[in-house]
Every structure is written in structure tokens, then in C-alpha cells.
Amino acid sequence: MNILNIGSERTTYHVELAFSPLFEAVLGIAAVTYNNIRPTLEQPAEYWEQLVKELDPAVQRELDYAKQYNTWKTLLQLLHQRSFADLSSFLSYITELSPGELRYQALPYLGDELQIVRHQAASGKKSAILALQNACSSHLFFPAYIAHIASVEQETLRNHLLLLMKGWYDAHIKSRETDINRILERDFTYKKTMRDKLSAEAFVEWATHGSYPPEPAITRVLLIPHVIYRPWTIHANDVGTKIFYYPVADDSLHDSTDPYRPPQTLVQTLKVLGDEHRLRLVKMLSEKELSLQELTERLGGAKSTVHHHLSLLRSAYLVESKGNKYRLKREALDKMPALLQQFLGDRADEGH
């Protein structure tokens, strides 16, 4: 059979990097309001409780509002509208937005084909609001978030965003701004150097611990480092852009190298595997891919408990989900002996 190829060759995306303590602030708000994710984060429970206690009562009330309606998502989307030099410029931007523009920018981007619908939803059209909700019906919180953004008084939303962002930043970022910037910039610089040595796809996989094949509508991938949400990589979408908020590397956390400090990847992996139930799940998944329902039936117990164990395994990059199935990432397990030997080898080298 003769074939005439008149299509274009497979192309990839280009990768950009950016960093800002403003992103660190919003991701901190996101983490502290997401109870289910906190056990998988590096910082212990008492750390997150202390962050809340240190806030002014008025800001705590706004944090409760953010927890109920996921308005940290609004702040995150607004941060991508332009490059903000500091907190003041970001707060001024929020203040100057018209009510219609604020609502439009707060609504999630769900694809080019729904941009007109997004505009209609921002103007209050009920059928458009419903269409957006239907387009993301399987998402964890988007449908309820869209309903709230479409119905809330925009001045109420604006004042909430201003008070929450300023209150959180002043309490948890301002005094540490120099240190946070140093960590983020250190990782940004290292990643930028590596970007020139790898293909776009290989670089994204190396930086985020997960592969990302090109998509037809995506021409740009934006990588933003964070500390607060380690060890998770968070995905988001914007027009023509895939966004990864990725955890800074262990080496970026410190100005100097301590040969007795184990790699956080090794620590996290060993902690996660130090549980009988999770080891059972690893064994099951080493045999074949299984769904949450199948794993629950085999392991026993509540589905929510099994899901919690899987979340911990995912946070250590030992397990990943494909559709409704979970699979073991054998390559992550294979790296463990090398990571341990590297750490022990460093110690041995110091002794000579």
C-alpha cells in the first residue's frame, strides 16, 4: 500500500523556568488547607498546625474560607497573568482587576475549545457555568470551585484574596524571603544549566520525576521550583502551557554540603516503605497493575485507608497511576541501593 504523508512530524515543547516566593506563599496556603495531602509532605503535622497558629485571627478566618472553597487556586492562576516583582505589585494587580476580569481569570482553563464558554461563565451565563462543570466533572474540586467563583460577590472574593495573601506572606514568607529566594534561585540556576544538556522531554522527566510527552495544544512547559510542597510535583494548565511546580532538589536546600545529611529522596523512600501494609501493596503491584478496588479487596480494610497508603507510595515516586490502575515504578526501587551506597560512600570518603 502506498502512503502519502502530508502531516507534520511530531514536535515537542520548549521549556521555561521561573521562580518567586509568591508561588511559595500560595503553595503553602494550598498545602495547609489540604488535610489529606499533609501526611505525605516532608514537614510533620505539628509544623502545619504551628503555621496556622502564627496567623492573625482575621487571616485564619480567610484560611478557613480558602479551605472550604479552594481559593488558593485563584491566587495561583492570577500569579500567571504576568511577572510580579514583589507582593505589593501582585496585590495592586488584584485590586485593579475589574469584577468580570477577576471572575474570568479565577475560572480554571479547561482547554481552548472552552475558552468562549469560560468567558460566558464569567459573565454569569448559567448554561456556560454548567458546561464548565460538566467538562471537569471527575476533578476533585473543580465543579464546586467553579460554582463558587461564578456565584460569589466579586468584591468579597477580591477582599478575601488580598487579606489572605498579605496575611500569609507577612507571617511566613517575609522574614525568610532572602533564604527562600536563595534556595529557589540555587535550584533554578542548576536546572537552567541542565536544560541545555538534555532534550526537552528528558529534562522535564529529570526535573519533575515524571514523564510528559508532547500534546498537540501545548507548545510551552513552565517549571517552577518550590520547597513547601516537597516531595510533590503539582500539575496545572494555562493557554498553550503545561505548568509543573516541582520540588527543589536536596542539594538546593543548603548552602554547604553536609556529608552526614542523607538525601531526602532516600529518607522519604525508607519512611514510606517502613510499613507492612505498604510493603504488601508494593508486592501486589510488582506482579501486575491493579485498581484501587482490586487492591482494597486483596489487602482488606477501608478503601480510604488503601488510598492513603497509595498516596504515600506516590509521594515517594514508588507508585504511579495510569487511568484507574496503579503500577509500581521499578526504576525508583532500583535506585535505592545506589542512593544508599552513594550516601555511605560519601561518609567513607570523609573518613580517609
Side-chain angles (χ1 to χ4, degrees):
M1 179 173 64
N2 295 327
I3 297 176
L4 177 62
N5 182 5
I6 59 174
S8 59
E9 292 185 4
R10 177 177 179 270
T11 59
T12 192
Y13 42 74
H14 74 276
V15 182
E16 298 178 14
L17 298 107
F19 72 93
S20 169
L22 294 171
F23 287 112
E24 191 72 8
V26 176
L27 292 174
I29 294 169
V32 83
T33 57
Y34 189 6
N35 291 343
N36 290 341
I37 200 71
R38 295 212 310 247
T40 71
L41 300 174
E42 287 183 359
Q43 298 293 352
E46 52 268 25
Y47 170 84
W48 301 102
E49 293 165 3
Q50 186 61 34
L51 289 184
V52 176
K53 290 178 182 177
E54 291 174 2
L55 294 173
D56 182 272
V59 182
Q60 288 186 22
R61 288 193 290 273
E62 301 304 327
L63 192 67
D64 290 338
Y65 186 97
K67 184 175 182 178
Q68 182 177 359
Y69 296 113
N70 291 294
T71 48
W72 57 267
K73 174 64 175 173
T74 306
L75 287 169
L76 206 53
Q77 296 202 162
L78 292 173
L79 275 176
H80 285 287
Q81 301 311 307
R82 63 177 66 167
S83 179
F84 298 99
D86 49 31
L87 176 65
S88 178
S89 62
F90 181 52
L91 297 180
S92 295
Y93 176 75
I94 296 174
T95 301
E96 294 164 4
L97 281 174
S98 69
E101 190 63 21
L102 176 57
R103 181 179 281 117
Y104 171 75
Q105 291 187 15
L107 290 170
Y109 169 76
L110 299 176
D112 289 347
E113 68 279 5
L114 288 171
Q115 283 294 74
I116 294 176
V117 177
R118 185 182 176 197
H119 277 288
Q120 293 171 340
S123 67
K125 188 174 181 179
K126 292 184 178 180
S127 60
I129 295 168
L130 183 60
L132 286 185
Q133 291 177 302
N134 289 337
C136 59
S137 59
S138 62
H139 192 275
L140 180 64
F141 68 83
F142 271 10
Y145 171 78
I146 290 169
H148 180 70
I149 294 300
S151 62
V152 67
E153 167 60 44
Q154 290 303 281
E155 290 312 307
T156 298
L157 177 62
R158 188 195 313 275
N159 292 333
H160 158 69
L161 296 173
L162 292 170
L163 182 55
L164 177 60
M165 185 67 182
K166 186 177 189 308
W168 183 273
Y169 199 96
D170 286 349
H172 299 309
I173 302 294
K174 192 173 183 178
S175 63
R176 301 176 51 241
E177 195 171 55
T178 299
D179 291 337
I180 291 171
N181 261 321
R182 187 181 295 121
I183 292 171
L184 298 178
E185 185 173 14
R186 198 154 46 227
D187 201 85
F188 168 86
T189 301
Y190 178 47
K191 294 295 191 300
K192 198 171 182 180
T193 301
M194 289 298 295
R195 182 183 61 177
D196 299 331
K197 299 177 181 179
L198 299 170
S199 69
E201 292 170 57
F203 174 71
V204 169
E205 182 171 1
W206 170 77
T208 68
H209 304 283
S211 61
Y212 178 60
E215 296 181 77
I218 300 298
T219 59
R220 171 177 175 257
V221 168
L222 177 61
L223 300 186
I224 299 173
H226 69 76
V227 180
I228 194 74
Y229 227 105
R230 279 172 43 108
W232 286 99
T233 296
I234 304 154
H235 300 194
N237 295 289
D238 203 351
V239 180
T241 302
K242 185 74 175 181
I243 305 166
F244 294 94
Y245 308 93
Y246 71 89
V248 300
D250 294 347
D251 290 345
S252 298
L253 293 172
H254 311 283
D255 289 316
S256 58
T257 301
D258 178 359
Y260 292 93
R261 182 187 299 119
Q264 191 59 40
T265 304
L266 179 61
V267 174
Q268 182 76 3
T269 303
L270 292 174
K271 283 171 62 176
V272 166
L273 289 176
D275 178 272
E276 178 185 343
H277 299 295
R278 290 194 283 276
L279 284 173
R280 285 177 178 271
L281 288 171
V282 168
K283 172 68 172 175
M284 293 174 192
L285 292 173
S286 71
E287 297 169 350
K288 64 177 180 178
E289 298 180 7
L290 294 165
S291 68
L292 175 59
Q293 182 63 38
E294 290 168 333
L295 288 166
T296 302
E297 291 172 357
R298 293 186 62 176
L299 188 65
K303 184 179 290 187
S304 60
T305 302
V306 177
H307 185 269
H308 171 71
H309 286 309
L310 288 168
S311 293
L312 290 171
L313 289 167
R314 288 180 63 200
S315 73
Y317 308 110
L318 296 172
V319 166
E320 64 181 354
S321 58
K322 295 287 187 181
N324 70 335
K325 297 282 189 178
Y326 289 87
R327 65 174 291 269
L328 181 68
K329 297 180 69 174
R330 286 188 172 275
E331 62 274 17
L333 283 176
D334 292 342
K335 289 178 183 176
M336 276 193 63
L339 283 172
L340 182 59
Q341 186 56 50
Q342 183 182 42
F343 173 56
L344 298 178
D346 287 343
R347 291 182 61 184
D349 291 343
E350 286 290 315
H352 291 291

